[in-house]
Amino acid sequence: MNVRRSAAVLAAVAVIGAAIPAAAAPSPSQALPSALYGDKDPEFDGVWRQSLALLAQDTVGEKPAAKSVEWLVRQQCEDGGFAAYRPDPTAACDAKTMLDTNATAAAVQALAALGGQDAVADKALGRLKSVQNEDGGWGYSPGGASDTNSTSIVIGALAAAGEKPDQVEKDGKSPYDALLKLALPCDGDSDGAFAFQPDKKGELAANADATAAGVLGALGKGMVTEPGAKSDATCAEPGTPEQAAVNGAAYLTSALAKDDNHLMSAMAGAEPQPDYGNTADAVVALAAQGNTAQAEKSVRWLEKNSASWAAQSGPAAYAQLIFAAHATGTNPRDFGGADLVKQLNATGPAPQTAGKAQSSDEKPGKKDDSGSFFGVWWYVGVCLVAGIGIGFLFTGRKKQQQL
């Protein structure tokens, strides 16, 4: 949720020449919509980053600019799905319009939180349900193999809209059945992790990005979550979504502790380096599961080290950090000395109303009750994987395509 396009997605995007949100810049002849957040090329993440930006503003009690909400609404195709970005929303979507489940699910989470867009959200959910796989999950694009990230963000959309994910079934299988098939057993270094997808041999490999997504999905939560009840459960057979979430949180705790409370990315041919986006996602997942001790250590690390990454990556990155702050009770307006809300707002239209300033006796990070409760590298990571199946459009962000 870095956009939560995982490290794998980033690598894939690079392979196919696709632009990662943090790196791509619009061509000189390309005029970006004034309602859009961020100044990078939106071809692969326009709807994703807009959805995260609006959701983050709502999370801190601000009312987004009306034109920014309208921009997101107009990106929807007639069948309910969303593509990564449609330069001309007045042109009808057709068979060549590559819709993706991640953009659609992210839009649902944002619109459900903002309210007043029930018809749009319901139509999008209908489209998502229509492309559910027989194993109960979703791939980045329709017909693609189910992956943990895509299935989990759709679960978050269902929950945000007030539906019960376990009752959304295809051939008797729910999204939780799909997640359990992607959960690794408690065995060795991969104890309790989730895999993104089975490899060509049908084997599962631990993936930290997918695990952060899988924990939230297994808990039935979206991108915005409150801290869960403290849990001291240990890794066991992942026979239920709840146990799979416990297992995944245990894996993340171990992975974070191993590298000074943050995750590392290991791109092919590149030196390992800190993975800020997936660390933020892991913080949200751990907080939701109740592993608050490690979540707080890691959010402190982000406070000290994420500023340059967020400035380069843009609105989705600021949103991820706001979600991590919110989940741990950290003040997003004083995040290591930085005002994440101000920085996010500066990447696009100013919100209609500013959130209430916190008084000294208010708990940091908690938003005003009048705000809505709900939910980049997830996006990027998934983009790559799904894209591979379709010319590597971008793995998982193209976490799916034509809904």
Side-chain angles (χ1 to χ4, degrees), residues 73-335:
V73 169
R74 294 186 68 214
Q75 285 288 303
Q76 186 176 45
C77 290
E78 181 60 32
D79 66 5
F82 285 77
Y85 174 64
R86 296 171 57 210
D88 180 9
T90 64
C93 299
D94 56 26
K96 295 181 179 180
T97 304
M98 293 179 29
L99 309 184
D100 88 65
T101 58
N102 292 223
T104 302
V108 169
Q109 291 194 41
L111 295 173
L114 297 173
Q117 300 293 342
D118 289 352
V120 178
D122 288 347
K123 196 172 185 179
L125 285 177
R127 180 58 180 171
L128 287 169
K129 292 177 183 178
S130 75
V131 296
Q132 185 176 17
N133 290 334
E134 293 181 357
D135 62 5
W138 285 265
Y140 183 83
S141 37
S146 297
D147 67 74
T148 296
N149 295 61
S150 300
T151 299
S152 295
I153 193 172
V154 173
I155 288 175
L158 292 167
E163 299 209 23
K164 295 182 178 180
D166 62 333
Q167 295 180 7
V168 177
E169 299 182 337
K170 179 69 174 290
D171 293 342
K173 300 290 186 180
S174 79
Y176 296 126
D177 292 307
L179 287 183
L180 290 176
K181 288 179 62 177
L182 294 166
L184 280 77
C186 300
D187 181 22
D189 293 339
S190 298
D191 275 2
F194 283 86
F196 176 73
Q197 281 178 333
D199 62 20
K200 293 181 178 179
K201 296 181 180 179
E203 298 179 355
L204 302 178
N207 181 299
D209 177 38
T211 302
V215 169
L216 286 177
L219 292 172
K221 297 182 180 295
M223 290 184 271
V224 178
T225 181
E226 304 292 338
K230 289 188 177 181
S231 170
D232 57 3
T234 57
C235 196
E237 181 65 25
T240 65
E242 293 77 14
Q243 185 61 52
V246 168
N247 295 355
Y251 172 81
L252 290 174
T253 297
S254 177
L256 288 163
K258 181 167 43 177
D259 284 302
D260 189 29
N261 300 312
H262 65 276
L263 297 175
M264 297 291 290
S265 64
M267 301 289 191
E271 289 293 323
Q273 56 185 321
D275 191 330
Y276 305 96
N278 284 336
T279 297
D281 293 343
V283 167
V284 176
L286 288 176
Q289 173 54 34
N291 293 44
T292 53
Q294 183 59 59
E296 298 217 356
K297 290 178 183 178
S298 294
V299 83
R300 299 288 88 80
W301 182 88
L302 286 169
E303 284 187 300
K304 295 178 181 178
N305 299 283
S306 64
S308 295
W309 165 76
Q312 179 186 24
S313 300
Y318 287 123
Q320 277 184 277
L321 294 176
I322 288 173
F323 299 153
H326 178 80
T328 56
T330 301
N331 188 352
R333 300 178 190 276
D334 184 12
F335 195 78

